[in-house]
Amino acid sequence: MNKVPVIVFQNKENKDRYLANGPENGDWSDENLDVLMEDIECAFMIWRDDFESPGDKDLEELKQTSINHKKTMRERFGDDAVINFDVEEWLKHYTPVNIEITQEQFDKARELDG
């Protein structure tokens, strides 16, 4: 079976947990909704369309997208805007790590990202 390289965000305090791809995909038994490796398809991931291994450039692009999102949200809703897509904040609590997942996990992750 083919493997797909991705970046996931590993919790710095609880190394067996990973940032979920939204609350609907989180593990509700975990106070942060972080998921275990066995449910990694439910984690927030960075992948490349060319299936090359994502790297620093891909992470920087995600950070810039997040910065732009935060700016737009604050312009529209003020300084009290609820912003969940905040990669800079995530990086205070999570470490980006490269892993490989199965094609089946990748297909499920794309479906959940959808």
Side-chain angles (χ1 to χ4, degrees), residues 25-66:
N25 297 320
D27 179 352
W28 286 84
S29 71
D30 182 76
E31 67 179 309
N32 298 312
L33 301 181
D34 291 344
V35 299
L36 293 166
M37 182 60 75
E38 64 196 40
D39 297 314
I40 201 66
E41 64 273 5
C42 296
F44 185 90
M45 295 181 193
I46 301 172
W47 64 75
R48 295 176 49 102
D49 291 335
D50 62 6
F51 296 104
E52 293 295 319
S53 185
D56 291 340
K57 180 181 176 196
D58 302 290
L59 181 59
E60 289 303 316
E61 288 175 4
L62 182 68
K63 281 200 291 191
Q64 189 58 53
T65 300
S66 171

Side-chain angles (χ1 to χ4, degrees), residues 18-109:
Y18 301 86
L19 179 67
N21 185 15
E24 63 279 359
N25 297 320
D27 179 352
W28 286 84
S29 71
D30 182 76
E31 67 179 309
N32 298 312
L33 301 181
D34 291 344
V35 299
L36 293 166
M37 182 60 75
E38 64 196 40
D39 297 314
I40 201 66
E41 64 273 5
C42 296
F44 185 90
M45 295 181 193
I46 301 172
W47 64 75
R48 295 176 49 102
D49 291 335
D50 62 6
F51 296 104
E52 293 295 319
S53 185
D56 291 340
K57 180 181 176 196
D58 302 290
L59 181 59
E60 289 303 316
E61 288 175 4
L62 182 68
K63 281 200 291 191
Q64 189 58 53
T65 300
S66 171
I67 289 167
N68 294 341
H69 171 73
K70 289 189 294 186
K71 181 181 176 203
T72 299
M73 292 293 288
R74 289 188 178 119
E75 287 171 355
R76 291 183 69 194
F77 303 107
D79 289 337
D80 292 331
V82 175
I83 301 170
N84 294 323
F85 180 49
D86 187 345
V87 176
E88 292 171 311
E89 185 66 26
W90 296 353
L91 292 174
K92 293 177 185 175
H93 307 282
Y94 296 88
T95 303
V97 294
N98 287 80
I99 65 168
E100 290 186 333
I101 59 175
T102 66
Q103 184 67 48
E104 181 180 6
Q105 289 170 314
F106 178 71
D107 292 342
K108 181 67 175 177

